[in-house]
């Protein structure tokens, strides 16, 4: 099954209805691709549906799932996956990504819960990822999540993540902010975590802001601007693995579009600097 690497390019932005009308009329030139949560867009019709169609006809899109609950012990929602496949085909969406987590247990929860870092969990979730890939007839990308507890832990987070993507033979959605948040909350070296990632599987990356609850406790909110240490970690990732597509996530406290685009411009500037550095070394 083919990788989904190199299907999108440049700096991306999560599409939100609050600025959809603005960008339909004047698409920002610096945005290379857009990301949507399919659960929020699959049932949309009317004005928003027409505007969404106008965007997908002109620009590259990826889907980032919120509710598949890939790590749950509940039955896999294959009906949703088949609806997703039709939605992606209808709009020419490049590929789908999901979180390495679960959000259901006999009913949906309202958060992304951490999986136990165990061999049994590796086998369980990898089999479910493979099934999703079989239905979609395409690899998916799996995201490393932020988490605040590690129940039933038998291995390190990075070893668990790498084991899942290898067993499932899927690609990686690398979340830079999640690595930084976890490194503070759980006391590990973020750069060392990055070095251990499966860099050859990275399809694209997320970068976002977070909330500082305390000096040693960060909350992954996607509701603030990206801070300098997270930008630096993105630079480190490009140095380690080469430049890959990177998308700005902002889920609430959404500022004016111009402010979001300044952060998209920062992604582009870091990408260009990394490419120039590679050329100098070569």
């Amino acid at each position: 099954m083919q990788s989904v690497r190199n299907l999108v390019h440049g700096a991306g932005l999560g599409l939100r209805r609050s600025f959809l009308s603005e960008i339909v009329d004047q698409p920002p030139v610096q945005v290379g691709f857009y990301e949507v949560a399919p659960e929020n867009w699959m049932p949309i019709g009317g004005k928003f549906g027409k505007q969404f169609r106008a965007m997908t006809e002109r620009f590259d899109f990826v889907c980032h799932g919120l509710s598949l609950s890939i790590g749950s012990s509940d039955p896999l929602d294959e009906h949703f996956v088949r609806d997703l496949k039709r939605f992606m085909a209808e709009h020419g969406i490049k590929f789908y990504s999901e979180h390495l987590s679960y959000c259901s247990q006999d009913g949906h929860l309202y958060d992304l819960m951490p999986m136990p870092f165990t061999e049994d969990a590796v086998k369980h979730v990898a089999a479910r990822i493979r099934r999703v890939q079989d239905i979609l007839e395409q690899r998916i990308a799996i995201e490393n999540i932020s988490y605040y507890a590690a129940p039933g832990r038998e291995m390190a987070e990075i070893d668990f993540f790498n084991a899942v993507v290898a067993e499932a033979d899927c690609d990686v959605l690398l979340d830079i902010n999640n690595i930084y948040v976890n490194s503070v909350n759980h006391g590990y070296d973020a750069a060392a975590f990055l070095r251990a990632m499966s860099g050859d599987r990275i399809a694209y990356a997320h970068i976002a802001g977070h909330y500082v609850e305390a000096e040693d406790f960060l909350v992954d909110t996607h509701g603030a601007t990206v801070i300098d240490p997270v930008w630096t970690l993105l630079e480190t990732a490009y140095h380690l693995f080469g430049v890959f597509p990177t998308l700005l996530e902002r889920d609430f406290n959404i500022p004016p579009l111009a402010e979001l685009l300044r952060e998209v411009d920062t992604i582009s500037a870091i990408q260009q600097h990394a490419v120039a550095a590679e050329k100098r070394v070569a």
Side-chain angles (χ1 to χ4, degrees):
M1 192 171 292
Q2 290 188 337
S3 170
V4 295
R5 294 189 67 191
N6 304 315
L7 295 186
V8 294
H9 305 278
L13 178 64
L15 183 66
R16 299 293 178 265
R17 293 182 206 174
S18 61
F19 55 77
L20 176 57
S21 296
E22 186 176 355
I23 65 173
V24 166
D25 294 335
Q26 292 184 308
V29 296
Q30 60 265 67
V31 178
F33 66 104
Y34 293 92
E35 178 191 83
V36 292
E39 295 89 343
N40 294 336
W41 294 90
M42 286 162 65
I44 290 296
K47 176 183 176 182
F48 283 132
K50 291 177 181 177
Q51 291 177 328
F52 181 63
R53 164 67 72 182
M55 290 296 293
T56 60
E57 286 176 345
R58 290 182 288 169
F59 303 103
D60 289 342
F61 272 74
V62 297
C63 277
H64 183 49
L66 300 173
S67 66
L68 184 58
S69 199
I70 197 71
S72 177
S73 58
D74 290 346
L76 183 66
D77 189 349
E78 295 190 6
H79 178 75
F80 168 79
V81 179
R82 290 187 171 87
D83 285 347
L84 170 67
K85 184 178 182 179
R86 286 189 289 270
F87 174 74
M88 291 173 64
E90 179 184 355
H91 289 280
I93 291 171
K94 299 298 184 179
F95 60 89
Y96 173 71
S97 65
E98 249 295 354
H99 306 82
L100 185 55
S101 65
Y102 70 97
C103 58
S104 66
Q105 181 63 53
D106 299 322
H108 273 277
L109 309 171
Y110 291 94
D111 207 347
L112 299 171
M113 306 299 291
M115 298 187 61
F117 300 156
T118 68
E119 291 289 349
D120 285 346
V122 168
K123 292 181 173 59
H124 171 73
V125 71
R128 288 162 69 92
I129 293 170
R130 290 195 302 269
R131 179 58 183 156
V132 172
Q133 294 182 146
D134 286 345
I135 296 171
L136 294 179
E137 300 181 275
Q138 184 185 49
R139 276 191 186 177
I140 69 173
I142 290 295
E143 179 184 7
N144 56 294
I145 70 161
S146 58
Y147 63 99
Y148 307 98
R153 178 176 184 151
E154 295 176 359
M155 62 178 75
E157 175 194 352
I158 185 61
D159 295 333
F160 176 74
F161 185 83
N162 285 342
V164 168
V165 298
E167 179 79 12
D169 192 21
C170 63
D171 288 320
V172 170
L173 165 49
L174 176 62
D175 194 299
I176 301 294
N177 183 64
N178 287 353
I179 294 176
Y180 179 78
V181 165
N182 290 346
S183 74
V184 172
N185 291 346
H186 303 291
Y188 64 66
D189 185 285
F193 187 99
L194 260 181
R195 286 193 294 272
M197 292 288 290
S198 299
D200 60 337
R201 293 182 180 268
I202 296 172
Y204 73 122
H206 279 167
I207 194 164
H210 55 259
Y211 175 72
V212 180
E213 178 71 27
E215 184 176 325
D216 59 351
F217 183 46
L218 309 180
V219 182
D220 177 36
T221 60
H222 304 170
T225 56
V226 182
I227 66 170
D228 286 345
V230 177
W231 289 123
T232 299
L233 197 59
L234 180 63
E235 293 176 350
T236 300
Y238 290 158
H239 174 73
L240 289 170
F241 306 124
V243 173
F244 41 76
T246 303
L247 180 132
L248 176 69
E249 282 191 298
R250 188 66 178 259
D251 292 339
F252 76 103
N253 289 336
I254 297 176
L257 180 61
E259 184 175 329
L260 294 175
L261 293 178
R262 283 194 289 272
E263 291 194 286
V264 174
D265 286 337
T266 300
I267 295 172
S268 296
I270 295 171
Q271 289 175 330
Q272 292 165 13
H273 183 268
V275 168
E278 289 176 359
K279 289 179 178 177
R280 287 195 298 270
V281 171

